[in-house]
Amino acid sequence: MRPTSARLLNIFVPIKRTIDYAVKIRVNSAQTGVDLNVKHSMNPFDEIAVEEAVRLREKLKDEKPFEQHSQWEPILEFTLRSRILHHHLSLSASRKTLRALIEKQKEGVDLVILGKQAIDDDAGQTGQMLAGLLNWPQATFASKVVVDTVKKEVTITREIDGGLQELRCRLPLIITTDLRLNEPRYASLPNIMKAKKKPIEKIKPSDLGIDLTPRIETIKVAEPPQRVGGGKVENVDELIAKLKEAGITPVKS
C-alpha cells in the first residue's frame, strides 16, 4: 500500500460529529444517556486534521509525480449523518469500521490524519487502535508534519513531557493531531455551497461486512450530585469539628 510514482498519495481523514464544545452537557429525561437534542459540530481536533490534509494538498499539488487526493467524503457521510456510528458504536466497532472503510478504497490509502481525541468521551484511542488493526506505524499528538515526496516518508514533531520528539515514518502511516499543529480556516460561503453539491457515497455497515450489534447495555445515566459551597475555618479544632459534623472521622497520624 505504499505510494508509487504511478498513482496519487491518498489522504484519509476520519471525523466525528460531537456535541458542540460550547453546549453544557445534560442527562436526558429518560436517563439513558446525554441529551442529544442540542447543537452538534465537527470534533475540534478533527477540524485540525482536515486543515492539515488541505495544507498538505496545497503544498504538494505541484510536485510530480506525487499529488494529494482527499478521500474523506465517505467517512464524513458515515460519521456526520449516520446516528448509528455516533451514538451506538463501541470503541472497538468504530475502529473496525474505519479499517473497513480504508481497505475499501480502490486506490488505497497512504496517510490517515485524525484528531488525537474526541471531546465527548476524551478516550484518545482511535488512532492507536486503528494503527494496530492495520499494522501501520503511528505518530500521535503531532504538532508538525513534513512529507518527503522523494523518500516517501513523513517527519513528525510531537510534544512530550520532556519537550519535543521527532519521528520519521514510512508510509502508510497514522497521524493524530495536537492543538498546535495548525489553526483551521473558516470556509467561505461560496465554498460551502460548492461542497453541498459534491457527490457523497453512502455506505451501510452491511456493505462493509461489519456487525454493529451493541454488546453493552446502558442501564442508567445520572448526573453527579451538585457540589455545595465550601467554608472557611479559623483553626484546626474548628476544622475537625466540621469534619465530624459531616460524618468524616479524622485519622490520627
Side-chain angles (χ1 to χ4, degrees):
M1 293 204 52
R2 291 180 178 172
T4 67
S5 59
R7 69 172 181 84
L8 303 172
L9 173 63
N10 295 329
I11 302 178
F12 194 88
V13 185
I15 66 173
K16 187 175 184 180
R17 174 180 178 265
T18 61
I19 294 178
D20 190 82
Y21 69 92
V23 174
K24 185 174 179 61
I25 307 299
R26 299 288 189 187
V27 174
N28 61 29
S29 58
Q31 293 188 314
T32 57
V34 299
D35 183 8
L36 299 174
N37 189 28
V38 294
K39 179 183 178 182
H40 286 67
S41 59
M42 187 189 304
N43 176 46
F45 288 101
D46 293 335
E47 289 183 347
I48 296 173
V50 173
E51 174 67 24
E52 190 63 21
V54 172
R55 292 190 183 193
L56 284 173
R57 180 174 184 176
E58 292 172 345
K59 181 179 180 181
L60 302 177
K61 64 181 179 181
D62 295 328
E63 296 188 17
K64 302 297 182 181
F66 253 45
E67 297 178 9
Q68 288 289 340
H69 178 60
S70 177
Q71 288 281 354
W72 66 292
E73 288 87 352
I75 190 61
L76 169 65
E77 168 73 3
F78 206 72
T79 316
L80 262 66
R81 301 185 184 177
S82 171
R83 302 178 75 84
I84 294 177
L85 179 58
H86 180 63
H87 300 314
H88 301 300
L89 280 192
S90 66
L91 290 175
S92 177
S94 63
R95 279 54 163 181
K96 292 179 180 178
T97 302
L98 291 177
R99 178 183 64 177
L101 284 168
I102 291 171
E103 293 176 344
K104 183 178 182 294
Q105 304 303 313
K106 294 180 181 179
E107 297 181 348
V109 174
D110 305 301
L111 181 61
V112 178
I113 308 177
L114 67 160
K116 70 173 184 178
Q117 66 192 77
I119 62 172
D120 51 5
D121 56 21
D122 280 330
Q125 300 176 10
T126 301
Q128 294 89 327
M129 293 181 69
L130 182 59
L133 290 173
L134 291 170
N135 196 26
W136 287 10
Q138 59 177 296
T140 56
F141 315 124
S143 59
K144 184 179 180 181
V145 175
V146 178
V147 177
D148 188 324
T149 59
V150 176
K151 296 181 180 180
K152 302 174 185 177
E153 64 183 20
V154 184
T155 302
I156 304 96
T157 302
R158 58 193 305 268
E159 298 183 4
I160 59 175
D161 292 340
L164 299 177
Q165 181 186 50
E166 186 175 279
L167 301 177
R168 192 159 52 248
C169 305
R170 296 281 295 179
L171 298 171
L173 171 67
I174 307 287
I175 294 177
T176 69
T177 63
D178 211 341
L179 281 174
R180 280 167 285 278
L181 178 58
N182 61 54
E183 184 175 347
R185 73 193 76 181
Y186 289 101
S188 63
L189 181 58
N191 285 334
I192 292 175
M193 300 308 295
K194 290 179 182 178
K196 290 183 177 181
K197 298 179 181 179
K198 294 291 184 179
I200 297 179
E201 180 185 0
K202 296 183 179 181
I203 302 173
K204 298 179 181 179
S206 57
D207 298 333
L208 302 173
I210 297 176
D211 179 14
L212 300 183
T213 303
R215 291 175 172 79
I216 298 177
E217 179 185 359
T218 300
I219 305 300
K220 182 179 179 181
V221 177
E223 295 186 9
Q226 293 186 351
R227 299 181 62 180
V228 297
K232 294 183 179 180
V233 295
E234 298 295 333
N235 50 55
V236 175
D237 292 336
E238 187 177 350
L239 172 61
I240 293 176
K242 291 288 185 181
L243 291 173
K244 289 181 178 180
E245 290 176 7
I248 301 173
T249 303
V251 179
K252 295 183 179 181
S253 57

